[in-house]
Amino acid sequence: MPHHPSIGSLIPTGSGVIDAEHGAILDLLSAMTAGGPVGLAELTALRREVAEHFATEAAEMAVLTAERREPHEHAHRHYLAGIDALIETAERGDPLTDDDANRLMLWFIVHSNTADTELVEATRRAGDEPPMISMDDWLDSLDEADRDALRS
């Protein structure tokens, strides 16, 4: 995956889809941190790509409990709000600083390398867990077996 050498690189999460989307976002962020002016078009493209990626992650997280998903989703909303604030700045014609672009890049790399990597692992573990059966269902199944034996 291409990356901005002075910022860092992404750790593969283990999900091909998520890693591919991370690469596309990192390409956009790398262009924004390359030293040229960051404008409305770049920010809008980033916002669209990030929102689509967060939707992918939301679908992946569906197997997790709400208490496990919500902090991750909150972080996503916060990041999008930061991009939205920069879009508003660009729409007013105010210049964006290198720090603005670098903060977007840094947050994305740290989040991807920590929270997203853990997310992929957690969803895999959740998918591997055996389904829980309730005691009532289990007892009912024993009763059915007894009834079937009596009929034989």
Side-chain angles (χ1 to χ4, degrees):
M1 269 179 240
H3 66 277
H4 191 281
S6 66
I7 299 289
S9 60
L10 296 179
I11 297 170
T13 64
S15 167
V17 171
I18 288 176
D19 290 342
E21 291 179 0
H22 281 175
I25 293 167
L26 191 61
D27 287 346
L28 292 171
L29 288 166
S30 293
M32 291 172 66
T33 59
V38 176
L40 186 57
E42 293 84 6
L43 289 167
T44 302
L46 177 66
R47 174 78 164 76
R48 183 177 47 256
E49 194 76 27
V50 167
E52 289 172 8
H53 170 63
F54 288 169
T56 298
E57 286 190 10
E60 292 283 324
M61 287 188 285
V63 299
L64 302 176
T65 64
E67 67 187 22
R68 175 63 189 82
R69 280 190 327 266
E70 287 172 2
H72 199 106
E73 291 170 342
H74 174 77
H76 288 174
R77 288 188 301 274
H78 186 264
Y79 188 66
L80 287 172
I83 296 171
D84 289 341
L86 293 176
I87 287 173
E88 290 174 12
T89 299
E91 286 174 336
R92 286 192 308 268
D94 295 337
L96 299 174
T97 68
D98 289 342
D99 285 346
D100 294 326
N102 287 332
R103 271 195 296 279
L104 290 174
M105 173 73 92
L106 183 59
W107 183 96
F108 182 74
I109 289 173
V110 170
H111 178 81
S112 298
N113 287 350
T114 57
D116 287 353
T117 301
E118 198 277 329
L119 165 72
V120 170
E121 181 60 31
T123 57
R124 286 206 174 118
R125 283 191 313 266
D128 291 342
E129 293 175 7
M132 295 298 292
I133 185 167
S134 74
M135 185 59 80
D136 290 338
D137 291 342
W138 183 72
L139 290 172
D140 288 346
S141 71
L142 291 178
D143 290 342
E144 282 179 28
D146 288 342
R147 282 191 295 269
D148 290 343
L150 291 174
R151 287 185 212 139
S152 306

